[in-house]
Amino acid sequence: MWYTGFVLYREDYGNNTVRLFFLSLEKGLLHLYCKGANSKSSKLGPALQYFSLLKIQVAGKLLNYINKVEIESLAIRYPLEQFYCACYVNELIFKLLPTNDNYESFALFNFYKNALLGLFYANSTQEQSLVLRKFEFELLNYLGMLPLLNQDYAGLELEDHQNYFLIQEQGFIKSQEINLLNQELTKQELSLRQQWEQDPDSVDPLALQYLEYQQQQFQYQQELTFAGKNLKLMHEIFLEEAPSQGQIKINPQTQEQLQLNASNLASLLQVKISLDQKQQVVKQTTYKVNNSFDEQDLQQALEAKIKEFKKEKEQVVPERKTDSFSGFEALTNEQKKIFLQQSANLSKIYLSVLLGTRPILAREKLLEYKRLMQSL
C-alpha cells in the first residue's frame, strides 16, 4: 500500500531501525518503522527527510514497515529559526493526533502545507508568529476544542469596544458580568467563613474550598483579557476558511477509492476536497531537477496526488482564496503587539489542556536559540 505525506518525527529504534511518525494524505497520522535505515548501504534512510513530500510503500502484517520511498518534492531548507518553528508544527501534530486511526486528512494536510510554505516565506518574527498562530487555531478548530471567536457564551455577536474573559467550558463573557460574578463569590465566601467561625460543624469544608478555587480561577481568567475587536480579527484571519470536523463531508470519489482499498468507513474522518481552477486543468505533472526547494514542486506533487481522487476533471470549481493577513497589517504597531499576545494566550490555554505535562521540545530549543542570539 502506498501513502503520500511528510515525515513529522524520526528516531533510532533498535539495530539500524528508524521509528517515525508520518502524516499521510490518505489515512492521517501513521506510526511506521524502517528497517536498516541507519545502515551505510541503506537507500531508504537518506530519503526520509523532514519537510519533503514523500511517497512511501508499506508492507508487513500490520502495514507498518516501509520498504520503498519515492521523493515527490525536495526538502524545504529553512534558516535555523524557521526550522525550529517548523519542527514545532510537526511536534504539535504527532503529540495531539491519534496514530493509525484510519481517517482522511485533506484539511489537516492543507493546514500543514500552508504552515510550511508560510514559514518559508516569512520575512520577520511577526510573520512567523502569524503563521504559527494560524496553524494552532486551525488545528484546535479541527480537533473541536476552540470556542466560537465571533460570539459570546450566549450566542451574541462580540462587540468591538468590549473586553471579554474566557470560561473554557462555556466561551467568552463580558468583563462586567464576570466582575459581578466574582463579587458574588466573594460575598458567599465571606458569609461561609463567618458561619464557620461561629459554628464550624455547620459548614462543609469542601464548599469553602470550592468557592476559594472558583475565585482563584476567575482572578486567573481576568489576567487573560481579550478585546472583542481582536477576537473577531482572529476569527477573520485564522479561521475564516478553516472547516471544522462537524462541517466536513466525504465526496463520492474519495468514498469509492476508500471502498476499493477495503477501508473501514465507519471510523473515517469525513472530508471534502475542493480544487481550484489551476488544479482542474493540469493534464500532466512535471518536476524540476535542482538542488533547492521550489514551491512549484510541492504544489505540483500535491496536485498530482489529489487528482487521483478526482474523476470528473472538467467540473467548474470557484477559485480558492489565498491566505491573507490584511486585517493585521491595518493595525498600529502597538495594536499588533497586543493582538499577537492575546492570540498566543488563547491558543496556549487549549494547547496546555491537550498536552498536559508533555513539553514541546522544539519550542524550548527555539527559546534557547533566541536567548543565545540576544546574548551575543
Side-chain angles (χ1 to χ4, degrees), residues 241-255:
E241 300 295 330
S244 63
Q245 277 189 329
Q247 300 171 334
I248 302 173
K249 299 180 180 179
I250 281 184
N251 64 20
Q253 294 82 5
T254 305
Q255 187 171 358

Side-chain angles (χ1 to χ4, degrees), residues 59-123:
K61 186 176 181 180
L62 300 177
L63 295 177
N64 61 345
Y65 281 92
I66 300 173
N67 62 3
K68 191 173 182 180
V69 178
E70 294 181 3
I71 300 176
E72 297 285 336
S73 72
L74 297 175
I76 305 176
R77 296 180 180 178
Y78 290 108
L80 190 57
E81 189 169 336
Q82 282 95 317
F83 173 78
Y84 283 134
C85 292
C87 289
Y88 168 75
V89 171
N90 284 3
E91 201 167 350
L92 279 183
I93 294 177
F94 75 77
K95 284 190 174 180
L96 296 183
L97 267 67
T99 57
N100 304 325
D101 209 26
N102 200 28
Y103 58 88
E104 287 183 279
S105 58
F106 290 99
L108 179 62
F109 208 83
N110 192 45
F111 300 156
Y112 180 71
K113 183 260 296 182
N114 290 339
L116 293 186
L117 294 178
L119 289 172
F120 181 74
Y121 291 111
N123 296 320

Side-chain angles (χ1 to χ4, degrees), residues 173-236:
I173 183 172
K174 288 183 180 180
S175 58
Q176 296 91 332
E177 296 180 23
I178 201 169
N179 287 336
L180 292 174
L181 186 58
N182 195 19
Q183 292 174 8
E184 183 64 26
L185 288 174
T186 303
K187 291 180 181 178
Q188 292 180 12
E189 182 184 356
L190 290 175
S191 176
L192 280 176
R193 285 190 180 278
Q194 292 175 358
Q195 185 179 350
W196 180 77
E197 291 175 357
Q198 296 174 1
D199 186 7
D201 295 334
S202 64
V203 177
D204 186 356
L206 292 178
L208 190 59
Q209 292 178 9
Y210 177 74
L211 285 176
E212 291 177 352
Y213 170 76
Q214 285 287 78
Q215 190 174 359
Q216 290 175 0
Q217 286 294 103
F218 284 126
Q219 290 175 354
Y220 168 71
Q221 293 292 347
Q222 289 183 13
E223 297 176 1
L224 299 176
T225 305
F226 300 97
K229 181 179 180 180
N230 286 340
L231 289 172
K232 292 169 71 173
L233 184 57
M234 291 177 202
H235 180 269
E236 178 184 343

